[in-house]
Amino acid sequence: SNGAFDITIGAVSNLWDFKSETPEIPTADTVASAVSHVDYNQIIITNNTVRLTDPYASIDVGAIAKGYIADRLKAYLKEQGVKHAVINLGGNVLTMGGKIDGSDYNIGIQKPFDESGQPITSVKVSNKSVVTSGIYQRYFESDGKIYHHILDPNTGYPCENNLYSVTIITDSSLTADALSTTCFLLGFDEGMKLINQLDNVDAVFITNDNKIHYSKNFQY
C-alpha cells in the first residue's frame, strides 16, 4: 500500500474517541505531533520480539483484529468438527462451507447511513470471508462535517475521498480486513487497481453517490 495502511497509527488513533457521547476534534498541533510518530519502518521484529525505535510511536491493530479473530474461530470450529457456520463479528462475516442444503449463504452489504440496516446489495458465498470497511460504522458530525474512524496516516484526520465503503471477499478474514481498510485509504481508482491485480480476491466499492462498483473478476 506504500504506507497507506500503517499499524503505527496508534499515536493518532489515541487522539480520536468515536464512542464518546461528546466527541471532540483534536487540535491541529496534537494531530501534527502524533503524525510525526507514524512510520511502520520504526517496527523492528526479532524472532518473537517486537520493538519500536521511536519511543512515542504506538501500534494499533484494530484494522485487522476482527479478521484475525474470525480466522481463529474458524480454525477452532473446524477442529470441533463443525462444517457449516456463519461467524459474524459485525462488518466481518466468515462462512464455513455453505448451507446444509448445499446452497450458498446470502450476505448483505449494508446501505451506507441507512439506520434500518437495509442492505444495498448482497453476495452469495460459501467458505469465504466478507469484510466491509465504511465511514458509516463509527463517526460523529461537527459543524455539518462527518468525522469517521478510518484515519489517514499521512494527515492524522479521517480519510477524505469519494468512497462510502469497501467490501472484500476472499478466503482469509484477516486478509480481507487488511485489504478493506487499505483500499479505502488508497481511494477508488488505486484501490480497485490493487484488487484487480490480486488472485482470489473480489471487491464491492460503494461511492458517495450510492453507486455500486464491482472488481474485474467479480462472480458472486
Side-chain angles (χ1 to χ4, degrees), residues 132-206:
T132 299
S133 289
I135 68 171
Y136 53 85
Q137 293 166 318
R138 291 199 301 278
Y139 71 93
F140 64 88
E141 288 187 47
S142 179
D143 295 328
K145 183 179 172 71
I146 286 178
Y147 294 85
H148 59 81
H149 77 289
I150 305 176
L151 301 172
D152 185 336
N154 293 309
T155 67
Y157 289 93
C159 179
E160 292 190 32
N161 55 36
N162 68 335
L163 289 173
Y164 271 166
S165 72
V166 176
T167 299
I168 302 293
I169 304 157
T170 191
D171 296 340
S172 160
S173 194
L174 173 64
T175 301
D177 214 355
L179 281 174
S180 65
T181 304
T182 297
C183 288
F184 194 100
L185 290 164
L186 287 172
F188 177 73
D189 292 331
E190 290 301 314
M192 191 64 87
K193 188 188 296 183
L194 172 62
I195 295 304
N196 288 335
Q197 292 172 350
L198 300 175
D199 292 329
N200 192 33
V201 179
D202 292 287
V204 181
F205 288 64
I206 300 174

Side-chain angles (χ1 to χ4, degrees), residues 21-151:
E21 291 185 9
T22 55
E24 294 182 2
I25 303 166
T27 66
D29 287 345
T30 56
V31 171
S33 175
V35 166
S36 71
H37 301 293
V38 177
D39 180 3
Y40 65 91
N41 292 300
Q42 309 268 10
I43 301 173
I44 306 296
I45 301 174
T46 309
N47 297 321
N48 203 34
T49 301
V50 180
R51 65 185 178 89
L52 292 162
T53 56
D54 179 352
Y56 298 103
S58 176
I59 290 175
D60 180 350
V61 293
I64 54 174
K66 278 187 185 178
Y68 171 77
I69 292 165
D71 285 339
R72 294 301 298 269
L73 283 170
K74 177 183 176 180
Y76 171 76
L77 291 174
K78 198 172 178 182
E79 286 174 4
Q80 304 304 309
V82 175
K83 293 184 173 61
H84 309 273
V86 176
I87 299 166
N88 185 355
L89 302 183
N92 289 58
V93 176
L94 193 156
T95 62
M96 294 181 64
K99 293 183 180 180
I100 295 174
D101 63 7
S103 62
D104 292 334
Y105 292 104
N106 193 32
I107 308 298
I109 297 173
Q110 188 175 331
K111 184 177 181 180
F113 298 106
D114 187 289
E115 293 184 4
S116 70
Q118 174 187 349
I120 192 169
T121 187
S122 63
V123 293
K124 293 186 181 297
V125 296
S126 62
N127 224 31
K128 293 282 182 183
S129 186
V130 182
V131 176
T132 299
S133 289
I135 68 171
Y136 53 85
Q137 293 166 318
R138 291 199 301 278
Y139 71 93
F140 64 88
E141 288 187 47
S142 179
D143 295 328
K145 183 179 172 71
I146 286 178
Y147 294 85
H148 59 81
H149 77 289
I150 305 176
L151 301 172

